[in-house]
Amino acid sequence: PGTPRRVVDDMFAAFTVTASAVRAPCAMHSRTAQPHQSARIAAFSTGAGRRELALSTARRQGQSHGVAARKIEATAHRANVQATATEVDEKEAVCYLRGVRMSASKVRRVLDVIRGKSYEECLIMLEFMPYRSCEPILNALFSAASNAKNNLGMNKAKLYVSECYADGGATMKRFQPRAQGRPFAIRKRTCSLVLKMKERED
């Protein structure tokens, strides 16, 4: 059975009312926007209006570029001042030791003891402390002291450990057979050591 003609007419009338209601706000918006557009077009149509628009645009661009240039120059100046101060004040010798075959926690307990101590005190402590991590730390201490003397011209008698820390490195994985044929993981830890030395001021 087909749709009755009266139902079709009612649906068409409802659709027409809805479409007119949707178009009404758009028409109002276009009518409100027309005066601004017409005023802009009228101002741009004359030669004076075009010159004034070009001058205002140039002023805005020049001001923005000038402000940006001043900000960049100020940032570069601050960076140069900070770099110069760092080169003058933060003169230090550094030693990087990579791939030490032990965990970082075992190295840190020795580094916490020698941090802030003089070069001679560190030599005595590392010589008599009963830890296996003393050997790589002692090698790093010798290297940092040699860098300070040969590269920076510092006096070894005035050196002290200004900063030292250890971070975890790559972990080698090995497997061992255990009960019921299951593999048991063995993790061989490594770490990286950084030791920095400065010269004490008199």
Side-chain angles (χ1 to χ4, degrees), residues 153-184:
M154 295 182 180
N155 186 4
K156 282 189 176 182
K158 296 181 180 180
L159 293 178
Y160 74 99
V161 179
S162 60
E163 185 179 358
C164 57
Y165 55 90
D167 295 325
T171 301
M172 296 183 292
K173 295 181 180 179
R174 303 292 182 267
F175 292 92
Q176 178 182 3
R178 295 296 292 270
Q180 300 180 2
R182 293 170 180 162
F184 176 74

Side-chain angles (χ1 to χ4, degrees), residues 5 18 21 32 36 65 79 88 92 97 120 130 138 143 165 183 191:
R5 182 61 179 267
T18 305
T32 56
H36 299 285
H65 291 326
V88 173
E92 60 184 5
L97 192 59
E120 297 176 355
L138 191 61
S143 179
Y165 55 90
C191 67

Side-chain angles (χ1 to χ4, degrees), residues 17-201:
V17 172
T18 305
S20 62
V22 171
R23 284 198 300 269
C26 299
M28 292 175 63
H29 180 71
S30 62
R31 284 196 299 270
T32 56
Q34 283 177 0
H36 299 285
Q37 294 178 357
S38 60
R40 187 179 301 176
I41 292 172
F44 188 74
S45 61
T46 61
R50 287 196 294 270
R51 286 193 295 274
E52 185 178 356
L53 182 61
L55 287 174
S56 62
T57 305
R59 289 195 199 98
R60 287 197 298 270
Q61 291 180 353
Q63 291 175 359
S64 62
H65 291 326
V67 171
R70 286 194 295 272
K71 287 183 179 179
I72 293 172
E73 291 177 359
T75 304
H77 179 68
R78 286 196 298 269
N80 292 333
V81 171
Q82 291 177 358
T84 305
T86 302
E87 291 178 359
V88 173
D89 300 334
E90 301 297 329
K91 189 178 180 182
E92 60 184 5
V94 187
C95 174
Y96 300 97
L97 192 59
R98 314 287 188 188
V100 180
R101 285 290 304 274
M102 62 184 64
S103 65
S105 60
K106 295 179 180 179
V107 178
R108 288 184 189 125
R109 63 184 177 186
V110 178
L111 294 179
D112 293 339
V113 176
I114 67 171
R115 187 178 293 111
K117 301 293 191 301
S118 65
Y119 177 58
E120 297 176 355
E121 291 176 342
C122 292
L123 290 178
I124 297 173
M125 290 179 180
L126 295 174
E127 187 69 26
F128 294 101
M129 289 179 71
Y131 298 118
R132 192 168 63 91
S133 59
C134 292
E135 183 178 355
I137 295 175
L138 191 61
N139 293 333
L141 188 70
F142 286 146
S143 179
S146 299
N147 292 337
K149 180 182 178 181
N150 299 327
N151 299 337
L152 303 176
M154 295 182 180
N155 186 4
K156 282 189 176 182
K158 296 181 180 180
L159 293 178
Y160 74 99
V161 179
S162 60
E163 185 179 358
C164 57
Y165 55 90
D167 295 325
T171 301
M172 296 183 292
K173 295 181 180 179
R174 303 292 182 267
F175 292 92
Q176 178 182 3
R178 295 296 292 270
Q180 300 180 2
R182 293 170 180 162
F184 176 74
I186 300 175
R187 296 178 178 85
K188 297 179 180 291
R189 309 284 186 178
T190 63
C191 67
S192 299
L193 172 64
V194 179
L195 194 144
K196 300 180 182 181
M197 303 188 75
K198 290 183 181 179
E199 195 173 25
R200 289 193 188 276
E201 298 178 0

Side-chain angles (χ1 to χ4, degrees), residues 2-18:
T3 306
R5 182 61 179 267
R6 182 171 54 82
V7 177
V8 173
D9 294 340
D10 294 341
M11 293 173 61
F12 182 74
F15 176 76
T16 305
V17 172
T18 305

